[in-house]
Amino acid sequence: MTHYPKPMSRLIKELAKLPGIGPKTAQRLAFHLFAMPRDEVVGLATAMVEAKESLKYCDVCGHLTDESPCQVCQDSTRDRHLLCVVEEPKDVIALEKTREFKGVYHVLHGALSPLEGIGPEELTIAQLMQRLQTREINEVILACDPDMEGEATALYLAKIIKPLGIKVTRLARGLPIGGDLEYIDEVTLGKAIEGRQEL
Amino acid sequence: MTHYPKPMSRLIKELAKLPGIGPKTAQRLAFHLFAMPRDEVVGLATAMVEAKESLKYCDVCGHLTDESPCQVCQDSTRDRHLLCVVEEPKDVIALEKTREFKGVYHVLHGALSPLEGIGPEELTIAQLMQRLQTREINEVILACDPDMEGEATALYLAKIIKPLGIKVTRLARGLPIGGDLEYIDEVTLGKAIEGRQEL
């Protein structure tokens, strides 16, 4: 990169730090940024710094927000008896997009993974237990990812929540809509048979 | 994106304007930026704006630079009798990396392309001819891309430069180093046979 003028090589170096952006992509992006109108470059730069400075995690549920409590926790129309536990803020966004869920959330910020040294203390499980003890929650929906870590986390949470006398459920397993039966993996297909519903 | 807090959705929107970055990648980058230390985010943002503000094209050769004339044009050790014509600033960088070329450059900022409405006036050909008339250049190396537009540009330039009594050459065509003969396209292989060299 030493052959570039300094501001260019610096920009390429900074861009290449981002995930999934190698030196070639960084170079292409840098040339694109140079060709962009000044206003747009400033717009992007400002958006980056402002996002970094104004975003935080909600003190109540752990969701990404620019005000705490977050909009979901503030919303008086949400059902506070129904709590959905997810791994990441992205999962809250995914569930909100469905417009199916009217309860509130709890974000764990990860999943149990002994191999990566992530135990219950690394997640927001203590805060979750506190919420369950102090608030009137009737049902906890465990919406962990359908992978090994997610399953382990859900089983662990079910084991410690059930003794509180709270109903614990998890998202249905089955065929993804639009999927092709032929290409669906055996485990999913097995779960779909197991959980078959009467028409 | 309406489910995200405002600073996040704005950042995702701005990132998704970049080439090759779709909404999913933009979301991933935005979460990564949020997780990065504040200093690094400010570093990237500053590098973007500074690059945009300080970079320009060299008044002499058209290369990307933060000072005009550029470092190559300023360098008194370079051979001013030898001029290499390239399409883009990126090509100057590529040639500089070889450390083989000791002359100076002229950047066309494109190649002739009647289909895209790019004629000689859209390129820096007038400036090139002016340099050739006023300076002592003995040889012009046409280092256009080995594609249709590049070939057409090289032929056009050769036609107008030769009458000035200047030697015109172009980069050799042949096998790329590290390439596998079996997988090299016919045209390149044909050029390699045509330009075969005695050992």
Side-chain angles (χ1 to χ4, degrees), chain B:
Chain B
M1 298 299 160
T2 50
H3 298 287
Y4 279 106
K6 225 174 179 179
M8 193 68 171
S9 58
R10 188 182 152 209
L11 176 57
I12 294 172
K13 214 183 85 196
E14 294 286 340
L15 286 168
K17 286 183 190 170
L18 296 173
I21 296 190
K24 281 279 166 189
T25 309
Q27 180 182 305
R28 195 165 47 85
L29 286 175
F31 272 102
H32 182 86
L33 284 165
F34 170 64
M36 264 163 66
R38 189 183 174 284
D39 284 358
E40 285 189 27
V41 177
V42 173
L44 172 55
T46 314
M48 278 169 35
V49 176
E50 274 182 12
K52 178 65 197 170
E53 287 183 343
S54 65
L55 292 173
K56 52 189 164 244
Y57 293 128
C58 172
D59 292 324
V60 180
C61 73
H63 183 40
L64 191 73
T65 181
D66 53 346
E67 48 182 355
S68 183
C70 72
Q71 287 196 335
V72 176
C73 288
Q74 273 183 43
D75 185 345
S76 60
T77 68
R78 309 287 299 215
D79 181 358
R80 269 144 228 286
H81 303 299
L82 186 58
L83 183 80
C84 182
V85 176
V86 297
E87 293 180 15
E88 301 291 349
K90 282 177 227 192
D91 303 327
V92 174
I93 304 295
L95 286 161
E96 284 296 287
K97 280 186 186 161
T98 68
R99 296 173 189 275
E100 288 288 333
F101 182 69
K102 297 295 174 206
V104 290
Y105 294 96
H106 190 85
V107 182
L108 296 172
H109 292 292
L112 294 177
S113 173
L115 285 173
E116 292 175 44
I118 300 172
E121 308 74 35
E122 272 69 46
L123 308 178
T124 60
I125 292 180
Q127 292 91 314
L128 171 63
M129 298 314 284
Q130 218 171 352
R131 284 180 83 181
L132 294 181
Q133 255 140 14
T134 56
R135 285 160 207 252
E136 294 189 326
I137 291 162
N138 301 331
E139 180 180 348
V140 171
I141 304 175
L142 299 173
C144 302
D145 283 343
D147 57 12
M148 222 169 61
E149 289 79 11
E151 292 288 301
T153 310
L155 290 175
Y156 175 85
L157 289 175
K159 214 176 96 185
I160 59 173
I161 296 172
K162 273 184 185 168
L164 303 175
I166 298 169
K167 186 177 169 188
V168 179
T169 58
R170 67 170 185 181
L171 299 184
R173 268 81 174 118
L175 308 182
I177 308 305
D180 192 331
L181 209 77
E182 184 181 355
Y183 297 115
I184 287 163
D185 67 285
E186 297 159 8
V187 181
T188 303
L189 206 51
K191 296 280 178 195
I193 296 168
E194 203 180 299
R196 65 191 180 278
Q197 288 160 337
E198 209 175 310
L199 288 176

Side-chain angles (χ1 to χ4, degrees), chain A residues 4-196:
Chain A
Y4 280 105
K6 223 174 181 178
M8 193 68 170
S9 59
R10 188 183 153 209
L11 176 56
I12 294 173
K13 214 183 84 195
E14 293 285 340
L15 286 168
K17 286 182 191 169
L18 297 174
I21 296 191
K24 281 279 166 189
T25 309
Q27 180 181 306
R28 195 165 47 84
L29 285 175
F31 272 101
H32 182 86
L33 285 164
F34 171 64
M36 264 162 67
R38 188 182 174 285
D39 285 358
E40 284 189 28
V41 177
V42 173
L44 172 55
T46 314
M48 278 167 36
V49 176
E50 275 183 12
K52 178 65 196 171
E53 287 184 341
S54 65
L55 291 173
K56 54 189 162 242
Y57 293 128
C58 172
D59 292 324
V60 180
C61 73
H63 183 40
L64 191 73
T65 181
D66 54 346
E67 48 182 355
S68 184
C70 72
Q71 286 195 336
V72 175
C73 288
Q74 273 184 43
D75 186 344
S76 59
T77 68
R78 310 283 302 214
D79 181 358
R80 269 144 227 286
H81 302 299
L82 185 59
L83 182 81
C84 182
V85 176
V86 296
E87 292 180 14
E88 302 291 348
K90 284 177 227 194
D91 303 327
V92 174
I93 304 296
L95 286 162
E96 284 296 285
K97 280 185 185 160
T98 68
R99 295 173 190 276
E100 287 288 333
F101 182 69
K102 297 297 174 202
V104 290
Y105 294 97
H106 190 85
V107 182
L108 295 171
H109 293 290
L112 293 177
S113 172
L115 284 174
E116 292 174 44
I118 300 173
E121 308 72 36
E122 274 69 47
L123 308 178
T124 60
I125 291 180
Q127 293 90 315
L128 171 63
M129 297 315 283
Q130 219 171 351
R131 281 181 86 182
L132 294 181
Q133 256 140 13
T134 56
R135 284 159 208 254
E136 295 190 327
I137 291 162
N138 302 331
E139 180 180 346
V140 171
I141 303 175
L142 299 174
C144 301
D145 282 344
D147 57 14
M148 221 169 62
E149 288 79 12
E151 293 288 301
T153 310
L155 288 176
Y156 175 84
L157 289 176
K159 214 175 96 182
I160 59 173
I161 296 172
K162 273 185 185 168
L164 304 176
I166 297 170
K167 186 177 169 187
V168 179
T169 57
R170 67 171 186 180
L171 298 185
R173 269 83 175 118
L175 309 182
I177 306 306
D180 192 330
L181 209 76
E182 185 181 357
Y183 297 116
I184 288 165
D185 68 284
E186 296 160 8
V187 181
T188 304
L189 206 48
K191 295 279 178 197
I193 296 169
E194 203 180 301
R196 65 191 179 279

